[in-house]
PDB file of all heavy atoms in Angstrom:
ATOM      1  N   TRP A 329     -15.620  10.634 -38.012  1.00  0.00           N
ATOM      2  CA  TRP A 329     -16.410   9.808 -38.911  1.00  0.00           C
ATOM      3  C   TRP A 329     -16.233   8.323 -38.618  1.00  0.00           C
ATOM      4  O   TRP A 329     -17.190   7.546 -38.705  1.00  0.00           O
ATOM      5  CB  TRP A 329     -16.053  10.118 -40.365  1.00  0.00           C
ATOM      6  CG  TRP A 329     -16.462  11.499 -40.754  1.00  0.00           C
ATOM      7  CD1 TRP A 329     -15.650  12.580 -40.964  1.00  0.00           C
ATOM      8  CD2 TRP A 329     -17.798  11.967 -40.960  1.00  0.00           C
ATOM      9  NE1 TRP A 329     -16.392  13.692 -41.296  1.00  0.00           N
ATOM     10  CE2 TRP A 329     -17.707  13.346 -41.297  1.00  0.00           C
ATOM     11  CE3 TRP A 329     -19.054  11.368 -40.900  1.00  0.00           C
ATOM     12  CZ2 TRP A 329     -18.831  14.112 -41.571  1.00  0.00           C
ATOM     13  CZ3 TRP A 329     -20.181  12.136 -41.172  1.00  0.00           C
ATOM     14  CH2 TRP A 329     -20.065  13.495 -41.502  1.00  0.00           C
ATOM     15  N   TRP A 330     -15.018   7.921 -38.278  1.00  0.00           N
ATOM     16  CA  TRP A 330     -14.796   6.522 -37.915  1.00  0.00           C
ATOM     17  C   TRP A 330     -15.533   6.171 -36.621  1.00  0.00           C
ATOM     18  O   TRP A 330     -16.098   5.087 -36.479  1.00  0.00           O
ATOM     19  CB  TRP A 330     -13.301   6.240 -37.773  1.00  0.00           C
ATOM     20  CG  TRP A 330     -12.610   6.031 -39.080  1.00  0.00           C
ATOM     21  CD1 TRP A 330     -11.874   6.945 -39.791  1.00  0.00           C
ATOM     22  CD2 TRP A 330     -12.601   4.833 -39.866  1.00  0.00           C
ATOM     23  NE1 TRP A 330     -11.405   6.395 -40.955  1.00  0.00           N
ATOM     24  CE2 TRP A 330     -11.834   5.094 -41.026  1.00  0.00           C
ATOM     25  CE3 TRP A 330     -13.161   3.568 -39.710  1.00  0.00           C
ATOM     26  CZ2 TRP A 330     -11.609   4.130 -42.011  1.00  0.00           C
ATOM     27  CZ3 TRP A 330     -12.943   2.605 -40.685  1.00  0.00           C
ATOM     28  CH2 TRP A 330     -12.179   2.891 -41.816  1.00  0.00           C
ATOM     29  N   ALA A 331     -15.518   7.101 -35.660  1.00  0.00           N
ATOM     30  CA  ALA A 331     -16.238   6.875 -34.402  1.00  0.00           C
ATOM     31  C   ALA A 331     -17.741   6.792 -34.654  1.00  0.00           C
ATOM     32  O   ALA A 331     -18.445   5.954 -34.062  1.00  0.00           O
ATOM     33  CB  ALA A 331     -15.939   7.996 -33.412  1.00  0.00           C
ATOM     34  N   LEU A 332     -18.247   7.629 -35.556  1.00  0.00           N
ATOM     35  CA  LEU A 332     -19.677   7.604 -35.890  1.00  0.00           C
ATOM     36  C   LEU A 332     -20.047   6.274 -36.553  1.00  0.00           C
ATOM     37  O   LEU A 332     -21.102   5.693 -36.246  1.00  0.00           O
ATOM     38  CB  LEU A 332     -20.013   8.766 -36.829  1.00  0.00           C
ATOM     39  CG  LEU A 332     -21.501   9.035 -37.089  1.00  0.00           C
ATOM     40  CD1 LEU A 332     -22.219   9.387 -35.796  1.00  0.00           C
ATOM     41  CD2 LEU A 332     -21.665  10.152 -38.117  1.00  0.00           C
ATOM     42  N   ALA A 333     -19.179   5.780 -37.429  1.00  0.00           N
ATOM     43  CA  ALA A 333     -19.431   4.488 -38.075  1.00  0.00           C
ATOM     44  C   ALA A 333     -19.468   3.367 -37.041  1.00  0.00           C
ATOM     45  O   ALA A 333     -20.340   2.473 -37.101  1.00  0.00           O
ATOM     46  CB  ALA A 333     -18.358   4.209 -39.127  1.00  0.00           C
ATOM     47  N   ALA A 334     -18.544   3.397 -36.075  1.00  0.00           N
ATOM     48  CA  ALA A 334     -18.523   2.376 -35.019  1.00  0.00           C
ATOM     49  C   ALA A 334     -19.775   2.461 -34.156  1.00  0.00           C
ATOM     50  O   ALA A 334     -20.330   1.431 -33.749  1.00  0.00           O
ATOM     51  CB  ALA A 334     -17.272   2.543 -34.156  1.00  0.00           C
ATOM     52  N   ALA A 335     -20.239   3.672 -33.887  1.00  0.00           N
ATOM     53  CA  ALA A 335     -21.450   3.853 -33.082  1.00  0.00           C
ATOM     54  C   ALA A 335     -22.673   3.295 -33.806  1.00  0.00           C
ATOM     55  O   ALA A 335     -23.510   2.611 -33.208  1.00  0.00           O
ATOM     56  CB  ALA A 335     -21.646   5.337 -32.764  1.00  0.00           C
ATOM     57  N   PHE A 336     -22.797   3.607 -35.089  1.00  0.00           N
ATOM     58  CA  PHE A 336     -23.918   3.079 -35.872  1.00  0.00           C
ATOM     59  C   PHE A 336     -23.869   1.555 -35.938  1.00  0.00           C
ATOM     60  O   PHE A 336     -24.901   0.881 -35.787  1.00  0.00           O
ATOM     61  CB  PHE A 336     -23.892   3.648 -37.289  1.00  0.00           C
ATOM     62  CG  PHE A 336     -24.364   5.070 -37.388  1.00  0.00           C
ATOM     63  CD1 PHE A 336     -24.143   5.815 -38.528  1.00  0.00           C
ATOM     64  CD2 PHE A 336     -25.042   5.674 -36.338  1.00  0.00           C
ATOM     65  CE1 PHE A 336     -24.587   7.124 -38.628  1.00  0.00           C
ATOM     66  CE2 PHE A 336     -25.482   6.988 -36.413  1.00  0.00           C
ATOM     67  CZ  PHE A 336     -25.251   7.713 -37.571  1.00  0.00           C
ATOM     68  N   LEU A 337     -22.684   1.005 -36.181  1.00  0.00           N
ATOM     69  CA  LEU A 337     -22.528  -0.440 -36.261  1.00  0.00           C
ATOM     70  C   LEU A 337     -22.942  -1.106 -34.951  1.00  0.00           C
ATOM     71  O   LEU A 337     -23.655  -2.120 -34.950  1.00  0.00           O
ATOM     72  CB  LEU A 337     -21.072  -0.785 -36.587  1.00  0.00           C
ATOM     73  CG  LEU A 337     -20.725  -2.277 -36.684  1.00  0.00           C
ATOM     74  CD1 LEU A 337     -21.497  -2.924 -37.831  1.00  0.00           C
ATOM     75  CD2 LEU A 337     -19.221  -2.463 -36.884  1.00  0.00           C
ATOM     76  N   SER A 338     -22.519  -0.529 -33.834  1.00  0.00           N
ATOM     77  CA  SER A 338     -22.863  -1.089 -32.521  1.00  0.00           C
ATOM     78  C   SER A 338     -24.358  -0.975 -32.243  1.00  0.00           C
ATOM     79  O   SER A 338     -24.989  -1.931 -31.768  1.00  0.00           O
ATOM     80  CB  SER A 338     -22.081  -0.362 -31.423  1.00  0.00           C
ATOM     81  OG  SER A 338     -20.690  -0.494 -31.607  1.00  0.00           O
ATOM     82  N   ALA A 339     -24.931   0.196 -32.537  1.00  0.00           N
ATOM     83  CA  ALA A 339     -26.355   0.412 -32.275  1.00  0.00           C
ATOM     84  C   ALA A 339     -27.226  -0.546 -33.083  1.00  0.00           C
ATOM     85  O   ALA A 339     -28.139  -1.188 -32.554  1.00  0.00           O
ATOM     86  CB  ALA A 339     -26.726   1.861 -32.594  1.00  0.00           C
ATOM     87  N   PHE A 340     -26.953  -0.649 -34.380  1.00  0.00           N
ATOM     88  CA  PHE A 340     -27.738  -1.545 -35.222  1.00  0.00           C
ATOM     89  C   PHE A 340     -27.468  -3.008 -34.876  1.00  0.00           C
ATOM     90  O   PHE A 340     -28.371  -3.850 -34.961  1.00  0.00           O
ATOM     91  CB  PHE A 340     -27.455  -1.282 -36.690  1.00  0.00           C
ATOM     92  CG  PHE A 340     -28.154  -0.063 -37.230  1.00  0.00           C
ATOM     93  CD1 PHE A 340     -27.462   1.106 -37.474  1.00  0.00           C
ATOM     94  CD2 PHE A 340     -29.527  -0.086 -37.466  1.00  0.00           C
ATOM     95  CE1 PHE A 340     -28.115   2.233 -37.960  1.00  0.00           C
ATOM     96  CE2 PHE A 340     -30.193   1.038 -37.951  1.00  0.00           C
ATOM     97  CZ  PHE A 340     -29.476   2.199 -38.195  1.00  0.00           C
TER      98      PHE A 340
END
Side-chain angles (χ1 to χ4, degrees):
W329 293 107
W330 280 99
L332 190 61
F336 284 166
L337 179 63
S338 300
F340 282 105

